[in-house]
Amino acid sequence: MKKTFLTILSVSVLVLSGCESMLERYPLNGPSTGTFPASEEEALSGVLVSYKNLANSVKQYSPFPTRFTDNLTDIGTVRTGLSNWNLFVTSTLTQTTGDATYLYGRIYKTVGRIHLVLDNLDNIKDKMSEETYLQFKAELLCLRAYVYDQGCQYYGDIPFIDHCLSLDDYAYPRMSKEEVIDRILRDMDDTMIDALPVRWPKAEWGTCRLGRAAAYTLKARICLNWGRYAEAAKYAAKAMELSEGVYALEPLDCTYYANDTVEGEPSASNLFGFAGETCDEWMWAIQFDRLAATNTHSMVYTYSSRVANGAAGCGPSQALMDTFQCTDGKSITESPLYDWQDPWNHRDPRLDLYCLRPGTRINNVQYSTLPSVKQVRDYNTGAMVNNSDTNGNKSEYGPNGTKGPGGYLWRKFADKAYYGETLTTSYEDELDVCIIRYAELLLIDAEANIEMDGGDLRRAQNDINQIRSRVKMPKVTAMEREGLRSALRYERTVELCAEGFRWFDIRRWKDSDGKTLAETVMNGPQYAPAFTGALSNAKPSISSDWTVSYDSASTWNGADFNLRTLVTMYYRTGKDELWPLPDSEIRSNPAINQEDQNPGY
Amino acid sequence: METKISSSWRGLLLSLTLIFHLGWSLAAQNQQVTGVVKDAAGEPLAGASILVEGTVTGTQSDIDGRFSLPSSKGQVLVISFIGFETVRVPVTDQTFYEVVLDGDANFLDDVVVVGYDTQKKVNLTGAVGSLSSDVLQNKPIVQASTALQGTIPGVTVTTNGGGPGADTGNIRVRGIGTFGGSSAAPLVLIDGIEGSMNSVDATQIDKISVLKDAASSAIYGSRAANGVILITTKRAGKGRSSVSYRGYVGWQTPTTTPDTVNPVEYMILNREATENDGATSIYTDEYIADYLKNNWLDPDSFPIVNWKEHVLNGSGLTHNHNLSFSATQGKMRILTSIGYLDQKGIVKSADFQRYNFRNNINVDITDRLALRFDTSGSWGIRHYSPYQGTFFSFMNARDPLFLAEYSNGTYAPFTGGSINILPMTDNGEGGSVRSDALRFSGAMALTWKPVDWLTLEGTAAPRFTLSYTHNFTDLVTYYSDPYGTVSPIKNREYNSLRESHTNDFYGNYLFTAKVHKQFARAHDVSFLSGTSYETLDERTLSAYRRDFAYPQYQTINAGADNEFKENGGARYQWALASFFGRFNYNYKERYLFEANIRFDGSSRFAEGHRWGRFPSFSAAWRVTEEPWATPFKGVLNEFKVRGSYGKLGNQNIGSDYYPTIQTLTISSISAAGLIYPIVGLNNLANEEITWEESSMYDIGIDATLLDKFTLTADWYHKTTDGILMQLDIPATIGLTAPYQNAGVVRNIGWEIGVGYHDGRGDFTWGVDANLSDVHNKIIDMKGTASGSLLRNEEGYAINSIYGLRCIGMARTQEEADYVNANCPQYGVETMPGDLIYADIAGDFDEDGNPIPDGKVDDKDRVIIGSTIPRYTFGVTLDAGWKGFGISAQFQGVGKLNAYLNGYYTQPCVQGGTFRKEHLDRWTPETPDGKFPRLSYASELSKKNSSFWMADASYCRLKNLQLSYTLPKKMLARTRIENLTFFANATNVFTLTDYWQGYDPENMFTTSGDGVQAGATATNYPLVSTYTFGVDIKF
């Protein structure tokens, strides 16, 4: 018995030791980490994955925050009840508001992917040419700078991570934003950037990869954002020099605007639509394509009107509509051309090119928010169709103009190629999202020269006038700093509307009293036209910074103020300059405690 | 034997001995009678009680079944043994009696299945709940998992919905032991082979055992932390051959549906809300009057839809048939069983069919060598609409004013995100999903008994599973004008088909050796040791095409061969190797002891963290087996005290097969219309992770009184340590958090089951009741907390409900002003009719105690309720008279909170309608209204708070059954052995305070191991089923 037992025991021990190999199972579906990247090809796929991650920064009403944040300012509106976006304009964000903390995680996800390649790049330096090595490095460091700049804008001080982290190495405190900016500008070393081609071959890469001109523009943009005007001017000039013969403003067709829209449809899709993807104005863009997995967004659906099968999710505010100058270059309160009962006539053509207002058409279908208009014409077929923007099915919004946020929508990214497509929330849009275009470079150059001491004001004026001429607006004649600053702020507000710059611009720009614009414009009611669809009779006052304010006693016709309040905005100085760091970061990062949270949260 | 009894019992013993002697002296002792007690199989029965009727003279049979006692002619010996029918033997001149005891019908489950073996119930030292086939009999059970509901103390079953083929139950044994990455589902073994409970036809089940404590389940080591369910299927007995048929037919209806407002009420409430928001509503009184008038004249402009009518259009017809053949011939015994189930939904588009067979063969090759060869297969086919969730969302929460169908019968489009579901519910348009699950399993076991005391058994039990999903989403045409086809609109841009196949091969190889020996007729020793090796190899393959020109041809090849086609495939594996052993010892079946140990090695963990060791010990004392207790055996038939301790593991860490290895993800990016490959890292891996471990203490008693009352009670204390959690890591790492062994959860509970069965004449009656409670608490989460509505937080139960504590409503302007002045809420103005919340926290003092900060915001959220059912109970009443039987099973939960929000219960949520009860809301005229003032714009009253939390405790008549078995006499002339007719109703009525229209049992959707609140309102409703059936045996 004892012997038997011992035999069984020893056999068991033998079998046990053999068992380890019986229990080895390895993933069968792809490589695992270890020595990635091991070759130039692998390094390239690692560089590209960092670009792809920018596309993954798409959040719900995407692309977020690129573009969407304009709807969280004075010039944009979000449909009531659409998610929690009103928290952003009523000073009610908290550190658990996912929409506000989402970006933080995305920034470090991109940073992590960058480091996966960057940390190992020196080990495989001998497996590629010096030029390729520098190019990869330049691209990765510029991308890192791009996301860190974004991080500093929205969160202020942020941890500066410069290598792959692990479970044993993750406690990094916040670094002051000034230091972060110093670091990233140092990273974007000129000699390294110079290794990049001015522009990556269009046929091969489109606008996916950062070229030399775009990299300098990015550098200039970062400098401008943080008030380093002289450097901004220097890099902008460099970028403009490189752009010569490569990048240029794309002409815009201003045929159909104002009352001519009955004849045709205003469209800037040659610049902002699918055709824009290959135009020479785009310098760098996030790529979207249905052919690549999980590489779509739902912006077009969110931005489109309901007759265009969209969700009418967001659009310009009444304030932005009133910002657009008359064709004489004067504000609506000053220009003799303005008639409040015929408000769309004699206006900056960009009003109709960039914004969708009742009375025009979209994807060749008439757009109307008048409740009495039950059917509208579909110019593609000539048939009358149900006016879903006012009628019928989404009864939860009421069968009137409440379906959209404020009666106006964005037209900027509308493209007739989407006609007939049933857009859904399930991310089927593949329009690329432009991050840097040549017009912005001109505006960076102009602003840097206006704000820096001893800047070239004539150069600034010329930059602004190039953009104005494209849409047949009269040239700016002002030559002094204040006049040009005013012109620049108008131009940046109007030209770059809905492209995601406004949120930070109003926190950066100060008025003549030294207050940031946000403190003024983000307080008080945000208005939209009445449900009846009546034209606005509100007579606004327009500041030299081209911000619009209303007094409910002031109307064009002396009758009762007829605008409706969409939301009452609230801005707390000392809090709302920034978004909160995520709750999870405070709980899990030993180097960041609740005391380190941004003030007010 | 008396020598071993401790001194404290001496006094009692002395008096007992006196009584004995008194009895002996009173009886006429003219002879010594001897005999042997055996069971029907001829095995000697030890411990049977032998009493001389009318006296206190008695003894017990020894280990060989032998007994000896003084008696005289004419007296009667009463021989009884628990689980057997009592036999009375008159004493004659004969001095030796051979007594054969037949199994008692009341104690069929005398032998229970335990890990790798069976055990006499009375000799169990652990906490094992068991269920025999008669409990499952005659119930229209579609999914075997639901059969356990309310029948075994400590076992809770929740159902996710009543959808045909998807109406499975979630079983939890003794609370929820884990959260986060791991599964809390018990291990299910069908005839010893791991499987899904729902793949078994309930009529093929013979016995179910639930191993609840660590001592009983430790033999299954690493997978037993959440309990083990052992299912034994029916086998042919050693009797004559037979054929039996059992079938039923019935129908289903939803248990409850929400009452929503009518169109006029909707418009009035909508107007009130719009006006409260400072805007003008188009629903003026004239408009409403117009609407009602014109709904008859011009329904295209003034539509009204009854969603319930459109959605609940299925017959709900269900029928089930089971035919089994049992044959015994010489050394062969075969039981073949085939079953068919057809279940139609309460919505037309949903149905389920299941075919299954089982063939259990036993061959006694020689006296010492036996073969068991089982094969079984099942094929389930489930159909449903891809829009099914939307159907119920519309039925439960959408308003009636949608323009959905024109008067000429064409359908109108809904713009934006919503889809007009009418063509889908009315005509089944929009495509359908078919999901097939095909399972084959076999078991071949060879048992060899080289000597009497040794049994060797080797088993190979492979299983092959094939699942297939066919998801065709078709185009639906709507018209944007009522007349003609000027402008047809499609619901989507293209139709598409996705087909996916998964096949897995599960290999299971098992070897056991059992030693059983008795020494000195008192010491019973058995020893079991074994080893097993399990492997899983899973492959997936999927294909997708869109743009089907001829949607009636639904194969991948019929779709367009364009750039949108997709395919995918992957392969996963795991392996588990185990060694286990059990040692049992009992002294005269009086003192029982058991020890188990198991070693498990899993491929999911890295070398060095791979092996787990899981020991357990248990002991029991059968007080009634003490010799001095013999006189009481007539009253207290059985009394046993048990205690156990053991350690268990859990390796079911999510769906991740390789959690310790960092893998790169291959994907692609486009540039200039070209596709480039990209490789990225998404997850951080942790090589250090290993088993979750649970240790459990259990103390219990089992008692039987007067052969009529049974009682079983247990108290347990279970701690699960090293729970795998994806602890938050700083976002700065840039990767998804890995699993870490970090959490600790404690479950402390008790359970009690009582039974009473009696009869008089032709009447029999009985009651079985059970009640259990568990107190669940997260002890350690490394200081973290997760979840914003359902929350895991230290010191509270898993999946607790987290929100503001509502302390009332501002009924007047003064009250609102007071709130705004003293404790502003979320920075917005509180209006009369808004909810008021408690200000609990803002800052914290040094001890971490919250300090109210004079305002209400997210920091004031606290744990307000628990989603772990407490005081779960079941009561079964049955009675019989001459072949008639009635049985009623009540089941319920005594304490439970649930959260259902959004437009399912709240007024003024975008996209929703109002519930009838919302009519009782705050208005200046009705300041005492139950619900807050109506407002679309204000979010204040819609915050997650105790106001919207509901009490989901309930008591329901789960099952009511009537049956009639024809008397044997009537069948004597026929070849029919048994004929029973039965009628059954499930979910007959429910008492609950839960939200009207929603079933309290259907309150959560499981997602992994967590639960999601609210999502369930789009679930297929639970159903009541009414069936009639017949059971016939030849």
Side-chain angles (χ1 to χ4, degrees), chain A residues 250-271:
Chain A
E250 171 77 8
L252 287 174
D253 180 0
C254 305
T255 316
Y256 300 110
Y257 91 101
N259 298 336
D260 297 328
T261 56
V262 184
E263 310 301 321
E265 180 173 333
S267 172
S269 66
N270 62 318
L271 174 54

Side-chain angles (χ1 to χ4, degrees), chain B residues 450-507:
Chain B
V451 284
D452 277 342
W453 50 270
L454 179 66
T455 312
L456 300 171
E457 188 169 89
T459 310
R463 186 189 67 213
F464 184 74
T465 312
L466 213 156
S467 24
Y468 160 70
T469 310
H470 171 99
N471 188 337
F472 188 80
T473 313
D474 203 1
L475 298 172
V476 178
T477 307
Y478 304 100
Y479 295 94
S480 60
D481 63 318
Y483 307 106
T485 54
V486 188
S487 47
I489 289 176
K490 302 284 188 193
N491 64 328
R492 28 191 348 243
E493 208 189 323
Y494 48 84
N495 49 20
S496 67
L497 173 66
R498 184 173 296 279
E499 296 208 325
S500 40
H501 284 257
T502 302
N503 66 56
D504 63 60
F505 179 81
Y506 167 71

Side-chain angles (χ1 to χ4, degrees), chain B residues 944-986:
Chain B
N944 291 338
S945 78
S946 53
F947 185 87
W948 302 105
M949 185 172 76
D951 174 1
S953 59
Y954 68 96
C955 173
R956 80 187 332 165
L957 177 51
K958 188 74 194 166
N959 197 286
L960 179 67
Q961 182 176 303
L962 297 166
S963 64
Y964 176 64
T965 304
L966 266 68
K968 293 262 191 290
K969 266 190 289 179
M970 272 175 80
L971 300 172
R973 286 160 180 273
T974 68
R975 301 201 52 176
I976 300 171
E977 196 181 311
N978 178 61
L979 180 59
T980 302
F981 297 96
F982 59 90
N984 193 304
T986 62

Side-chain angles (χ1 to χ4, degrees), chain A residues 55-68:
Chain A
N56 285 341
S57 303
V58 169
K59 169 95 177 141
Q60 207 172 4
Y61 305 107
S62 61
F64 174 82
T66 321
R67 291 196 180 166
F68 191 83

